[in-house]
Amino acid sequence: MNIDLKFYWNLILRRLPAMMAIIIICSVVGVIMAMRAPVTYQANAVLLVEPPQIPDALADTIVRDNAGESIEIIRRQLMTRANMLDIANDLNVFENYSSMSPDTIVGNMRRQTDIRSRGGRGQPLIVTVRFEARTGRIAANVVNDYVTRITSANVEIRTDAAQDTLNFFEQEVDRLSTELELQSARITQFQTENASALPSEQTIRINRQALLLDRLTRAQRDRDNLMEQRSNLIQIFERTGQVEVSEAIPLTADERELQGLEREMSQALTIYSAQSPQVQLIQRRIDVLTEQIATQAANLQPEATGEAVEGPSVLDLQLSQIDSQIEALTQEISGLETELADLDDAIGRTPLNAITLNSLQRDYDNVRSQYDLAVERLSQASTGARIEDTARGQRISLIEAATVPNSPASPNRPRIALTGAALGIGLAGALFMMLELLNRSVRRPVEITNNLGIIPLATVPYIENPSTRTVRRLIRIASLVIIVIGIPAALWAVDTYYQPLDVLTSRVLNRLGLT
């Protein structure tokens, strides 16, 4: 593809005034903005996130947080609206603070602040704090204030978290201790109310029931034998009118009870030792009955008078003894039946009591395990709180404080001026391309061929006479002179008498949404 350089060069020369106007305007504005751009100073501070000084294997710090997340949380807390306004007011960051709106102040403070972190994942986490201000001292003061707030916030966050954890487990231990006491009181109350039907004594009650049933059977048999004996004595007396004195006198109730206790002692010794309370209780009852029987025998022994004993007197004596024995056996049977009924009721209630008691004990064990776990965690929380109070856990330390910079960090005036000139050249080139794309007129022979599809035999260019050419050149030169001198003069007039060009440019860019 052949490019007609001469043709395009002529086009450039023809459109040079308009292109020069754009280039000059952008260049002048760029130079003015570079000269009037405010000087800013930048101060830096470097922070290091240190790991816990006490290994976790020896003592747990209990405050578990990711260092990067912690830094982000602190940064967001630092950049709040209230903090930005306080810092800007206390350190006199802006000259016209009183005339600025709070939103503008907060926006400028956040824009001029830069907090970045690098490292982590096995590498030490480094935090860099930067701030730009109109003077170096203000920048250093703001950065140092940021550092103080960051380190204080880190300590406060960790100590508060440790203290909150400690308070929680203290309350949990108190709550579980109260619950443990209540559960213990419930168990004690239930055992007191059901002392006669506790599962732990079920075996004793069953053995006692078997023993009482045996005694009841013997007592009923003895009472039946005595009643039969009494009936036989009466029948013999009615037939013969006599009762032999030498007839054997039946055992008394105390003697039969003594025999029963001796059998009970024999059975008890097969189950318990001789020192057990049950065996000792039966032995005391045997000793008491032995003394009673001896006393009764001494009182009832008839005197040896050698006289014959009358039949009715002997019959009455024997019947009286038998009746007293029958009465004693009846009372014994009644007592045994009452005790057996109580034992049956206790044995029947024992399974339900066992279920209830097991449920209460299970609840007690659950509360006890929770209490032991809470006590263990309370100890860990106390150790962790102590570690945070003594600054032995993870902390943010200052390794390089902000100093007052000797030279401004911005603006880069040559760069701003060159940017303005480059912008002007770009806009001029865009104007040239736009005019070329919009121009559909035929200016060259090749365009006749392209548009009409024919090849002309010859073309006659526009021929200017010398006077027209001279006038055209003079107009072009005059236009260039006017553009080169007039436009800067017009910009100077606008900047001096209407509004500074940098402010006007900022307003235009704001309206266009380019800033």
Side-chain angles (χ1 to χ4, degrees):
M1 176 177 162
N2 297 324
I3 299 176
D4 192 352
L5 296 178
K6 183 178 179 181
F7 170 75
Y8 286 107
W9 174 251
N10 291 330
L11 285 179
I12 291 175
L13 293 178
R14 187 181 303 172
R15 296 169 181 170
L16 185 60
M19 297 171 62
M20 286 295 297
I22 295 175
I23 295 173
I24 291 174
I25 291 174
C26 292
S27 299
V28 171
V29 172
V31 171
I32 293 176
M33 292 185 68
M35 295 177 60
R36 293 185 177 177
V39 176
T40 58
Y41 293 81
Q42 186 181 83
N44 304 327
V46 181
L47 303 173
L48 173 65
V49 180
E50 298 182 2
Q53 299 181 9
I54 300 177
D56 291 340
L58 299 179
D60 196 348
T61 60
I62 74 173
V63 181
R64 296 289 187 181
D65 57 354
N66 182 274
E69 294 179 357
S70 178
I71 291 298
E72 181 62 21
I73 292 173
I74 294 174
R75 189 188 72 83
R76 291 186 178 275
Q77 292 178 348
L78 176 65
M79 303 295 286
T80 58
R81 182 184 182 90
N83 286 340
M84 295 293 97
L85 293 175
D86 290 342
I87 295 173
N89 184 33
D90 295 340
L91 302 180
N92 192 23
V93 176
F94 304 106
E95 290 181 330
N96 53 347
Y97 178 86
S98 58
S99 61
M100 297 173 64
S101 65
D103 292 338
T104 303
I105 295 173
V106 173
N108 291 340
M109 289 291 293
R110 290 174 178 173
R111 185 171 57 254
Q112 295 170 209
T113 302
D114 184 20
I115 300 177
R116 298 183 182 181
S117 58
R118 66 179 186 277
R121 294 186 178 181
Q123 299 294 329
L125 185 61
I126 305 297
V127 181
T128 304
V129 182
R130 296 188 180 91
F131 187 77
E132 294 181 353
R134 54 192 174 87
T135 64
R137 183 166 299 278
I138 292 176
N141 291 338
V142 171
V143 171
N144 289 329
D145 187 270
Y146 282 167
V147 169
T148 302
R149 291 173 183 261
I150 290 173
T151 54
S152 300
N154 178 68
V155 173
E156 183 178 357
I157 290 174
R158 296 187 65 84
T159 54
D160 288 348
Q163 190 62 41
D164 290 343
T165 304
L166 179 61
N167 293 338
F168 170 78
F169 282 110
E170 286 178 348
Q171 296 174 2
E172 191 69 6
V173 168
D174 293 340
R175 182 185 68 82
L176 292 174
S177 177
T178 303
E179 182 66 22
L180 200 63
E181 293 175 357
L182 292 175
Q183 196 64 27
S184 178
R186 294 190 189 100
I187 294 175
T188 302
Q189 181 181 2
F190 181 82
Q191 291 177 340
T192 303
E193 294 175 352
N194 300 272
S196 61
L198 293 177
S200 60
E201 300 178 358
Q202 182 74 334
T203 304
I204 298 175
R205 283 191 293 274
I206 293 175
N207 294 334
R208 179 67 177 171
Q209 184 187 40
L211 182 62
L212 291 178
L213 287 174
D214 183 60
R215 288 179 60 185
L216 178 62
T217 302
R218 290 198 308 269
Q220 290 175 345
R221 185 175 61 250
D222 291 343
R223 186 181 64 176
D224 294 340
N225 291 336
L226 287 173
M227 293 178 68
E228 183 180 359
Q229 185 178 358
R230 184 179 188 279
S231 177
N232 291 335
L233 285 174
I234 293 175
Q235 291 177 2
I236 292 173
F237 180 77
E238 289 177 350
R239 289 197 303 267
T240 62
Q242 295 181 358
V243 178
E244 294 183 0
V245 178
S246 60
E247 189 174 351
I249 300 175
L251 296 176
T252 63
D254 291 341
E255 291 172 345
R256 287 193 300 274
E257 185 178 358
L258 179 60
Q259 290 179 356
L261 289 174
E262 289 176 350
R263 288 192 296 270
E264 186 177 347
M265 171 66 79
S266 177
Q267 293 178 359
L269 288 174
T270 61
I271 301 175
Y272 308 103
S273 64
Q275 289 77 20
S276 66
Q278 291 82 357
V279 173
Q280 292 179 1
L281 178 61
I282 298 173
Q283 184 63 45
R284 285 196 296 270
R285 294 175 62 188
I286 290 174
D287 295 341
V288 172
L289 286 175
T290 302
E291 294 179 358
Q292 291 179 358
I293 292 171
T295 303
Q296 292 175 358
N299 294 332
L300 295 176
Q301 185 176 3
E303 295 181 358
T305 58
E307 298 179 355
V309 179
E310 296 290 336
S313 299
V314 174
L315 177 63
D316 294 338
L317 178 61
Q318 291 183 356
L319 291 177
S320 176
Q321 291 179 350
I322 291 174
D323 290 340
S324 63
Q325 292 177 5
I326 291 174
E327 183 180 359
L329 286 172
T330 301
Q331 293 178 357
E332 181 180 359
I333 289 172
S334 177
L336 290 173
E337 290 176 347
T338 302
E339 187 175 355
L340 280 171
D342 294 339
L343 282 174
D344 289 339
D345 178 68
I347 291 172
R349 288 188 294 112
T350 298
L352 181 59
N353 291 342
I355 295 174
T356 305
L357 191 61
N358 288 336
S359 177
L360 292 173
Q361 187 65 39
R362 184 168 56 251
D363 294 340
Y364 176 86
D365 294 339
N366 290 336
V367 176
R368 180 73 187 192
S369 62
Q370 295 178 18
Y371 175 79
D372 294 339
L373 182 61
V375 170
E376 179 182 357
R377 291 180 176 177
L378 175 61
S379 176
Q380 296 176 356
S382 178
T383 302
R386 178 62 179 166
I387 290 175
E388 296 301 334
D389 289 339
T390 56
R392 294 295 187 271
Q394 185 187 84
R395 60 177 181 174
I396 300 176
S397 59
L398 177 65
I399 59 177
E400 184 177 345
T403 58
V404 179
N406 296 324
S407 58
S410 63
N412 190 341
R413 302 185 192 279
R415 181 178 180 182
I416 296 175
L418 291 176
T419 301
L423 178 62
I425 295 173
L427 292 176
L431 176 64
F432 178 83
M433 294 298 297
M434 183 182 66
L435 293 176
E436 186 63 20
L437 293 174
L438 295 177
N439 191 349
R440 298 298 182 181
S441 61
V442 177
R443 294 166 292 177
R444 294 178 296 168
V446 68
E447 293 178 359
I448 297 175
T449 302
N450 294 335
N451 293 334
L452 301 179
I454 60 176
I455 299 176
L457 297 177
T459 58
V460 179
Y462 177 75
I463 300 174
E464 294 179 324
N465 54 34
S467 60
T468 303
R469 184 182 302 112
T470 302
V471 171
R472 180 173 56 81
R473 289 178 178 177
L474 291 176
I475 293 174
R476 183 178 298 175
I477 294 173
S479 299
L480 290 176
V481 172
I482 292 173
I483 290 172
V484 173
I485 299 175
I487 290 178
L491 293 175
W492 173 84
V494 171
D495 181 75
T496 303
Y497 299 104
Y498 176 67
Q499 192 174 36
L501 287 179
D502 53 343
V503 177
L504 183 61
T505 303
S506 299
R507 293 180 60 182
V508 171
L509 293 177
N510 289 332
R511 290 289 183 87
L512 296 176
L514 299 178
T515 58

